Amino acid sequence: MSDNQATLSDLVILACAQAFRDDGEVMATGIGPIPRLGTAVAKKLWNPALQTTDGECYYGDEPVAPGDRVDVIEGYANYRRIFDALWGGRRHAMVGPVQIDRYGQANISVIGDHDRPKVAMLGARGFPGNSVYHPNSFFVPDHNARVFVEGEVDFVCMAGYNPDRYLNGKPPKDLDLRLIVTNLCVMDFGCPDHQIRVISLHPGVTFDEVQENTGFELGRIGKDIPQTPVPTEDELDLIARLDPHNVRHGILKDNPPVRTPG
């Protein structure tokens, strides 16, 4: 058993894992070490049918630790197989937007005007198609109003639930945005018109603190917002085994011990 206190990275890994808990046999794509470890935890705890990869080109029979290569190959995860899963809706990705707005429209392309941007980043890449073909969730390591922006994102790469973006006011039928996990809370799209609401607060975090770091008005699941579950000793042991190189500890600023009320 682990004697270590849970850190924020452990808590958010477990929260990310919840996004994949009931998916069944789909390809789980976690972009970045913490979402990737979330897919691994989900596979080991709740959903053994979940298909995880080494982050490059193979499916493994067991989750592959960040920094490692697959030991036992279960199958190839080349572009053809990935796109077959993607187009058929048999993929769930957890991605890291640079900006996201109240309707889930996400940006990874430019900050500022597209013709004369202040910052040029990755470009839209696969976000447009991914957003309408399969479920998507989000991980944001630093919850602030520069990420959760007032109004619309500077460049819409991922389709969201904004009715003004659609001729009949209705988003594509297969648009399925699920969870947002941040260093402060967990959110979903459960408000009217699928706007974002807070569904759990990390220990020691208040709703006001989350709202102060968000550029738009947030909904809430109820008057009393639940606390994000803290990993048990067994879950901490599992996370440590899945991350033997301790990559998770370098992702969140200072990676503090989980705060407790009082």
Side-chain angles (χ1 to χ4, degrees):
M1 300 291 286
S2 172
D3 294 325
N4 295 326
Q5 180 180 359
T7 66
L8 184 57
S9 66
D10 298 314
L11 181 116
V12 298
I13 287 167
L14 188 65
C16 288
Q18 295 286 351
F20 302 91
R21 181 174 187 147
D22 300 316
D23 279 354
E25 188 175 352
V26 302
M27 178 184 179
T29 303
I31 304 298
I34 283 181
R36 180 170 160 184
L37 285 164
T39 69
V41 169
K43 182 177 178 70
K44 297 299 291 182
L45 285 182
W46 309 303
N47 186 2
L50 198 67
Q51 296 297 298
T52 58
T53 78
D54 66 342
E56 295 182 22
C57 56
Y58 297 116
Y59 292 108
D61 67 328
E62 288 289 319
V64 181
D68 284 352
R69 294 304 305 263
V70 65
D71 292 321
V72 179
I73 296 172
E74 192 173 50
Y76 289 99
N78 54 29
Y79 277 115
R80 173 62 185 271
R81 295 194 72 178
I82 289 173
F83 284 125
D84 283 348
L86 187 160
W87 292 331
R90 299 186 302 277
R91 182 199 197 202
H92 182 179
M94 179 170 278
V95 299
V98 176
Q99 292 180 325
I100 186 169
D101 61 34
R102 71 186 67 216
Y103 290 108
Q105 296 177 143
N107 174 26
I108 58 169
S109 182
V110 297
I111 301 297
D113 184 81
H114 189 264
D115 292 331
R116 297 180 63 86
K118 297 177 183 177
V119 180
M121 297 171 294
L122 295 174
R125 298 179 71 85
F127 266 35
N130 293 351
S131 60
V132 297
Y133 277 116
H134 62 72
N136 289 272
S137 294
F138 306 90
F139 172 63
V140 176
D142 184 9
H143 190 134
N144 63 70
R146 296 186 303 277
V147 178
F148 293 95
V149 297
E150 182 180 8
E152 282 195 311
V153 296
D154 290 349
F155 187 73
V156 178
C157 301
M158 175 175 280
Y161 294 109
N162 185 355
D164 293 338
R165 283 283 177 175
Y166 304 108
L167 292 176
N168 60 1
K170 295 181 179 180
K173 64 181 181 66
D174 292 325
L175 183 63
D176 185 3
L177 306 182
R178 296 188 178 178
L179 288 186
I180 307 171
V181 179
T182 82
N183 61 315
L184 298 180
C185 65
V186 180
M187 301 182 286
D188 70 4
F189 296 86
C191 280
D193 295 324
H194 300 283
Q195 296 182 60
I196 293 173
R197 66 176 180 176
V198 178
I199 62 172
S200 75
L201 295 165
H202 300 342
V205 177
T206 66
F207 178 80
D208 288 344
E209 183 179 352
V210 177
Q211 183 62 77
E212 288 169 5
N213 285 279
T214 305
F216 51 85
E217 184 176 356
L218 288 165
R220 51 196 299 162
I221 196 169
K223 181 180 179 181
D224 297 318
I225 301 174
Q227 177 181 283
T228 308
V230 178
T232 65
E233 285 288 317
D234 287 342
E235 290 165 345
L236 286 173
D237 285 342
L238 174 62
I239 292 169
R241 291 198 303 272
L242 292 169
D243 183 28
H245 309 297
N246 295 319
V247 173
R248 66 193 184 282
H249 294 313
I251 304 303
L252 301 175
K253 184 179 180 181
D254 299 328
N255 191 29
V258 171
R259 290 184 283 170
T260 56

